[in-house]
Amino acid sequence: MTIKIFTLFPEMFSSVFSASIIKRAIDDGALNIQMIDIRAYSKDKHACADDYPFGGGAGMVMLAQPIVDAVLHHMPESGKPRRIYLSPRGRRLDQRIVEEFAAEDELMLLCGHYEGVDQRAIDLVADEELSIGDYVLTGGELGAMVLVDAVARLMPGVLGNEESKRDESFSSGLLEYPQYTRPREFMGIEVPEVLLSGHHANIEKWRRQKALEVTQRNRPDLLEEDRSLRLRPE
Ligand code: 9D3
């Protein structure tokens, strides 16, 4: 999969994309990520890419021209990639949307900064707007990194263990049960006896019970009737 990221701050991405699972996906050829510096498409003599908002108001607005030129210059010869504008007013990202994106051949991600982007750029070169959650960031770059990370771990062969990405939590509709490893006792706290019993049916029952408890405590919304019907058909 190819992901083209349009940003005024390409240097923000280097540490995240050169670490861990994303790096492996890139090295294995499963992911091809390109950062495109919007400023390089400015026609201004000072490479200016933003200006004051018409109508007044706080902050700066990114110019339409460098964004539209950058995106159009990077459109593939064939196919029409989904072009996503990361924005606090977008549809909120969830695992279902991540799985949709993971099935695409190419994505284009537009990152805004400052107070936003001239609406005409959004109208001309974005197909959808996407938020990563209900809090305010300083720009779309962290949103793009979150999206790339979530998509990268779904690429074939990237996680190694194909089972671990069948996300118990989100595909069963429950949060994760507690996990333990060696030693059997740590600072006076014992591993629950049932996990040492080798009795697989009891272990399954215990895990399901713990998953229900943690979901009830942290995310009772996940246990609402319509969700449980949709996500836990058994
Ligand atoms: C005054 C209205 N502000 C919206 C709450 C303006 C504004 C603030 C911050 C516009 C853009 C931003 C920068 N945020 C993003 O670009 C962004 C974002 C976010 O802030 N929250 C969750 N997801 C995302 S994706 C991109």
Side-chain angles (χ1 to χ4, degrees):
M1 165 185 281
T2 295
I3 304 180
K4 293 174 181 156
I5 302 174
F6 299 85
T7 173
L8 286 178
F9 300 94
E11 70 281 0
M12 281 182 72
F13 294 84
S14 51
S15 63
V16 169
F17 291 169
S18 56
S20 179
I21 287 177
I22 299 184
K23 177 175 164 50
R24 201 162 74 224
I26 293 167
D27 291 348
D28 292 353
L31 261 189
N32 167 23
I33 308 183
Q34 304 170 30
M35 267 67 70
I36 292 116
D37 187 352
I38 292 168
R39 198 177 299 281
Y41 291 83
S42 168
K43 288 186 170 145
D44 187 89
K45 59 174 180 279
H46 304 294
C48 182
D50 59 21
D51 210 333
Y52 300 96
F54 280 126
M60 305 293 276
V61 174
M62 286 170 65
L63 300 177
Q65 174 268 318
I67 294 170
V68 171
D69 284 356
V71 171
L72 294 182
H73 188 263
H74 285 85
M75 287 295 288
E77 309 240 315
S78 66
K80 29 182 174 323
R82 287 172 77 165
R83 300 177 302 188
I84 300 143
Y85 171 47
L86 282 304
S87 156
R89 70 180 189 196
R91 182 162 72 117
R92 188 162 69 223
L93 183 65
D94 59 24
Q95 191 64 18
R96 189 187 60 76
I97 298 174
V98 169
E99 283 168 18
E100 246 181 63
F101 288 155
E104 298 286 330
D105 197 50
E106 175 166 341
L107 298 174
M108 290 179 144
L109 308 182
L110 171 58
C111 304
H113 221 90
Y114 317 118
E115 284 306 296
V117 165
D118 188 305
Q119 182 62 39
R120 292 166 295 184
I122 302 167
D123 295 343
L124 287 166
V125 297
D127 306 305
E128 51 199 302
E129 295 189 45
L130 196 76
S131 162
I132 62 160
D134 294 338
Y135 37 80
V136 183
L137 303 172
T138 59
E141 285 78 9
L142 282 164
M145 289 184 238
V146 165
L147 174 54
V148 169
D149 189 82
V151 166
R153 61 185 289 287
L154 297 184
M155 295 290 100
V158 166
L159 276 193
N161 178 5
E162 293 297 303
E163 216 173 294
S164 60
K165 71 186 178 199
R166 275 238 57 88
D167 286 300
E168 275 111 79
S169 57
F170 290 103
S171 53
S172 76
L174 295 179
L175 300 181
E176 274 170 49
Y177 50 78
Q179 302 260 38
Y180 298 86
T181 184
R182 290 188 305 164
R184 289 171 63 145
E185 185 247 289
F186 179 70
M187 292 180 79
I189 309 173
E190 297 273 358
V191 173
E193 192 63 39
V194 62
L195 299 181
L196 311 171
S197 69
H199 192 306
H200 294 295
N202 284 352
I203 291 171
E204 278 312 298
K205 242 171 69 186
W206 181 89
R207 285 180 166 168
R208 175 100 184 159
Q209 178 57 32
K210 290 295 170 188
L212 271 168
E213 287 171 20
V214 76
T215 306
Q216 182 61 251
R217 175 154 31 92
N218 293 343
R219 293 290 305 278
D221 57 299
L222 296 179
L223 295 173
E224 279 164 26
E225 199 57 33
D226 58 328
R227 283 199 81 98
S228 61
L229 287 175
R230 194 150 36 82
L231 294 170
R232 282 183 281 113
E234 88 276 15

